[in-house]
Short mmCIF file of all heavy atoms in Angstrom, two decimals:
data_model
loop_
_atom_site.label_atom_id
_atom_site.label_comp_id
_atom_site.label_asym_id
_atom_site.label_seq_id
_atom_site.Cartn_x
_atom_site.Cartn_y
_atom_site.Cartn_z
N MET A 26 -3.73 29.82 -1.73
CA MET A 26 -3.26 30.79 -0.58
C MET A 26 -2.26 31.82 -1.24
O MET A 26 -2.38 33.01 -0.83
CB MET A 26 -2.65 30.03 0.47
CG MET A 26 -3.55 29.15 1.32
SD MET A 26 -2.77 28.11 2.50
CE MET A 26 -2.26 29.23 3.69
N LEU A 27 -1.47 31.37 -2.24
CA LEU A 27 -0.59 32.27 -2.77
C LEU A 27 -1.28 33.36 -3.74
O LEU A 27 -0.99 34.46 -3.71
CB LEU A 27 0.44 31.60 -3.71
CG LEU A 27 1.37 30.73 -2.91
CD1 LEU A 27 2.26 29.80 -3.84
CD2 LEU A 27 2.34 31.61 -2.07
N MET A 28 -2.44 32.72 -4.35
CA MET A 28 -3.26 33.71 -5.21
C MET A 28 -3.97 34.74 -4.28
O MET A 28 -4.13 35.97 -4.63
CB MET A 28 -4.31 32.93 -6.01
CG MET A 28 -5.03 33.68 -7.00
SD MET A 28 -6.22 32.72 -8.04
CE MET A 28 -7.12 31.92 -6.78
N ASP A 29 -4.44 34.30 -3.09
CA ASP A 29 -5.03 35.30 -2.20
C ASP A 29 -3.95 36.28 -1.72
O ASP A 29 -4.35 37.41 -1.41
CB ASP A 29 -5.60 34.61 -0.94
CG ASP A 29 -6.85 33.61 -1.43
OD1 ASP A 29 -7.39 33.86 -2.51
OD2 ASP A 29 -7.22 32.69 -0.68
N LEU A 30 -2.75 35.89 -1.56
CA LEU A 30 -1.83 36.92 -1.15
C LEU A 30 -1.43 37.78 -2.26
O LEU A 30 -0.91 38.92 -2.01
CB LEU A 30 -0.45 36.00 -0.71
CG LEU A 30 0.62 36.92 -0.11
CD1 LEU A 30 0.13 37.65 1.23
CD2 LEU A 30 1.74 35.94 0.17
N GLY A 31 -1.77 37.39 -3.46
CA GLY A 31 -1.51 38.36 -4.57
C GLY A 31 -0.19 38.19 -5.28
O GLY A 31 0.27 39.02 -6.02
N VAL A 32 0.40 36.99 -5.14
CA VAL A 32 1.74 36.71 -5.64
C VAL A 32 1.70 35.58 -6.80
O VAL A 32 2.71 35.28 -7.26
CB VAL A 32 2.67 36.39 -4.60
CG1 VAL A 32 3.06 37.69 -3.83
CG2 VAL A 32 2.40 35.19 -3.78
N GLY A 33 0.52 34.96 -7.00
CA GLY A 33 0.27 33.87 -7.86
C GLY A 33 -1.06 34.04 -8.60
O GLY A 33 -1.90 34.74 -8.21
N ASP A 34 -1.15 33.14 -9.53
CA ASP A 34 -2.48 33.02 -10.34
C ASP A 34 -3.15 31.69 -10.06
O ASP A 34 -4.06 31.39 -10.69
CB ASP A 34 -2.14 33.25 -11.84
CG ASP A 34 -1.23 32.24 -12.41
OD1 ASP A 34 -0.80 31.23 -11.61
OD2 ASP A 34 -0.83 32.22 -13.54
N GLY A 35 -2.80 30.99 -9.09
CA GLY A 35 -3.47 29.75 -8.60
C GLY A 35 -3.14 28.61 -9.55
O GLY A 35 -3.85 27.55 -9.39
N THR A 36 -2.12 28.67 -10.30
CA THR A 36 -1.67 27.48 -11.25
C THR A 36 -0.39 27.00 -10.71
O THR A 36 0.40 27.61 -9.94
CB THR A 36 -1.50 27.97 -12.72
OG1 THR A 36 -0.56 29.02 -12.78
CG2 THR A 36 -2.90 28.56 -13.23
N ARG A 37 -0.11 25.71 -11.15
CA ARG A 37 1.06 25.04 -10.76
C ARG A 37 2.26 25.70 -11.36
O ARG A 37 3.32 25.62 -10.79
CB ARG A 37 0.99 23.47 -11.13
CG ARG A 37 2.11 22.73 -10.74
CD ARG A 37 1.90 21.25 -11.18
NE ARG A 37 3.13 20.41 -10.85
CZ ARG A 37 3.07 19.08 -11.00
NH1 ARG A 37 2.08 18.45 -11.69
NH2 ARG A 37 4.22 18.44 -10.74
N GLN A 38 2.20 26.23 -12.57
CA GLN A 38 3.37 26.70 -13.30
C GLN A 38 3.77 27.88 -12.58
O GLN A 38 5.12 28.20 -12.64
CB GLN A 38 2.89 27.12 -14.77
CG GLN A 38 2.64 25.94 -15.65
CD GLN A 38 1.27 25.21 -15.40
OE1 GLN A 38 0.46 25.70 -14.67
NE2 GLN A 38 1.06 24.04 -15.92
N SER A 39 3.03 28.73 -11.91
CA SER A 39 3.48 29.99 -11.31
C SER A 39 3.87 29.67 -9.76
O SER A 39 4.09 30.64 -9.15
CB SER A 39 2.45 31.07 -11.35
OG SER A 39 1.21 30.64 -10.78
N ARG A 40 3.80 28.45 -9.34
CA ARG A 40 3.93 28.26 -7.92
C ARG A 40 5.31 28.49 -7.41
O ARG A 40 5.55 29.22 -6.41
CB ARG A 40 3.69 26.72 -7.60
CG ARG A 40 3.73 26.48 -6.17
CD ARG A 40 3.51 25.00 -5.90
NE ARG A 40 2.31 24.42 -6.47
CZ ARG A 40 2.05 23.16 -6.84
NH1 ARG A 40 2.95 22.28 -6.59
NH2 ARG A 40 0.89 22.93 -7.39
N SER A 41 6.34 28.23 -8.18
CA SER A 41 7.72 28.57 -7.72
C SER A 41 8.02 30.03 -7.65
O SER A 41 8.60 30.48 -6.69
CB SER A 41 8.79 27.91 -8.77
OG SER A 41 8.58 26.46 -8.80
N ALA A 42 7.59 30.80 -8.59
CA ALA A 42 7.67 32.21 -8.61
C ALA A 42 6.99 32.89 -7.52
O ALA A 42 7.39 33.78 -6.87
CB ALA A 42 7.37 32.83 -9.88
N ALA A 43 5.79 32.29 -7.30
CA ALA A 43 4.94 32.90 -6.19
C ALA A 43 5.52 32.64 -4.76
O ALA A 43 5.47 33.48 -4.02
CB ALA A 43 3.45 32.30 -6.20
#
Side-chain angles (χ1 to χ4, degrees):
M26 294 174 69
L27 291 172
M28 185 174 59
D29 293 340
L30 186 63
V32 293
D34 57 3
T36 61
R37 181 178 181 180
Q38 290 74 13
S39 63
R40 184 184 305 160
S41 299

